[in-house]
Amino acid sequence: AQSVTQLDSQVPVFEEAPVELRCNYSSSVSVYLFWYVQYPNQGLQLLLKYLSGSTLVESINGFEAEFNKSQTSFHLRKPSVHISDTAEYFCAVSVAMNYGGSQGNLIFGKGTKLSVKP
Amino acid sequence: KAGVTQTPRYLIKTRGQQVTLSCSPISGHRSVSWYQQTPGQGLQFLFEYFSETQRNKGNFPGRFSGRQFSNSRSEMNVSTLELGDSALYLCASSLALSNEQFFGPGTRLTVL
């Protein structure tokens, strides 16, 4: 079975400060890794994903995450946050299939609420 | 391309009633997954449908059921509602062999 642990339930930071949201996973099989963001009263939006290849993946809005297989981690970072980054962030995994897709059930962490203060 | 749509967006029911939620996937997407989001349990997988067949099921009681139609639209049904069923129900769609799911805005169900 797979599991995801997000170590911080809430992270308050000041605007323009760097931030790291931590995520660790457990799985006996190959998985794909994802970060989703949820703004109030909205659904989930994919922020970035790791499937294979370079262990550092980046999003278009300045976030990056690094896959570390030995530490089974996929931490999310941003060097300088904005007020608009205030949201809840979810780390998730799905079981990788041979054909390159994944099983249709994402396993999510409990989420980290990022609060950016002016 | 239109995104995943879910109807209704908000719903209030009383204990013992049943409810049906609807999800229309992105055009061309044949896989639909459902998730329940609550403050206590977080995001939990309910089930996944592909080509009108349930391909995967989470650990929920039989009161929770779903189906998918030939046009890939999906419905989920909850019978004999309990207070603990109050949640945001999210639907996600994906291409047939994809690893990326696209989520709808959710249906917020309140059980009184």
Side-chain angles (χ1 to χ4, degrees):
Chain A
Q2 295 72 44
S3 66
V4 177
T5 302
Q6 290 184 244
L7 295 157
D8 306 295
S9 59
Q10 297 189 55
V11 173
V13 293
F14 287 105
E15 195 173 17
E16 298 183 6
V19 71
E20 179 180 79
L21 307 184
R22 296 178 293 169
C23 171
N24 286 90
Y25 70 95
S26 172
S27 177
S28 58
V29 297
S30 294
V31 294
Y32 297 137
L33 296 139
F34 305 85
W35 275 99
Y36 282 88
V37 58
Q38 186 176 37
Y39 298 100
N41 300 313
Q42 294 188 27
L44 300 171
Q45 299 175 29
L46 179 66
L47 196 56
L48 43 76
K49 62 183 178 183
Y50 173 77
L51 306 179
S52 64
S54 172
T55 57
L56 185 66
V57 290
E58 299 176 351
S59 72
I60 57 172
N61 56 355
F63 282 95
E64 64 179 31
E66 185 159 21
F67 169 60
N68 188 317
K69 189 173 183 179
S70 62
Q71 296 186 7
T72 59
S73 68
F74 191 53
H75 301 330
L76 181 69
R77 302 185 185 96
K78 190 170 185 179
S80 176
V81 294
H82 302 290
I83 299 285
S84 59
D85 292 325
T86 295
E88 190 160 17
Y89 293 79
F90 293 92
C91 181
V93 301
S94 65
V95 173
M97 307 300 284
N98 292 336
Y99 55 78
S102 60
Q103 287 187 347
N105 53 319
L106 286 162
I107 297 100
F108 287 92
K110 293 288 190 186
T112 298
K113 289 184 179 175
L114 175 64
S115 175
V116 182
K117 304 176 188 306
Chain B
K1 226 181 213 185
V4 178
T5 57
Q6 293 187 245
T7 55
R9 291 294 311 279
Y10 301 91
L11 206 48
I12 299 176
K13 292 285 187 179
T14 56
R15 280 181 299 173
Q17 287 187 309
Q18 75 165 16
V19 68
T20 299
L21 312 181
S22 180
C23 171
S24 293
I26 293 171
S27 177
H29 287 195
R30 292 169 58 193
S31 174
V32 172
S33 297
W34 288 89
Y35 296 85
Q36 182 196 63
Q37 185 178 22
T38 60
Q41 299 299 317
L43 281 152
Q44 295 185 286
F45 171 75
L46 280 155
F47 25 65
E48 179 204 7
Y49 286 88
F50 177 75
S51 291
E52 302 177 65
T53 301
Q54 187 179 87
R55 192 160 67 171
N56 229 331
K57 188 177 190 306
N59 190 24
F60 277 81
R63 300 185 297 107
F64 292 81
S65 63
R67 60 178 176 168
Q68 187 180 33
F69 302 95
S70 58
N71 62 357
S72 295
R73 191 177 69 84
S74 177
E75 289 181 346
M76 68 163 281
N77 184 277
V78 188
S79 63
T80 320
L81 284 166
E82 300 176 0
L83 295 178
D85 297 332
S86 293
L88 180 67
Y89 289 89
L90 292 164
C91 166
S93 75
S94 63
L95 289 167
L97 301 177
S98 173
N99 48 55
E100 183 172 340
Q101 296 186 22
F102 296 82
F103 283 80
T107 294
R108 182 155 309 271
L109 171 65
T110 302
V111 182
L112 302 175

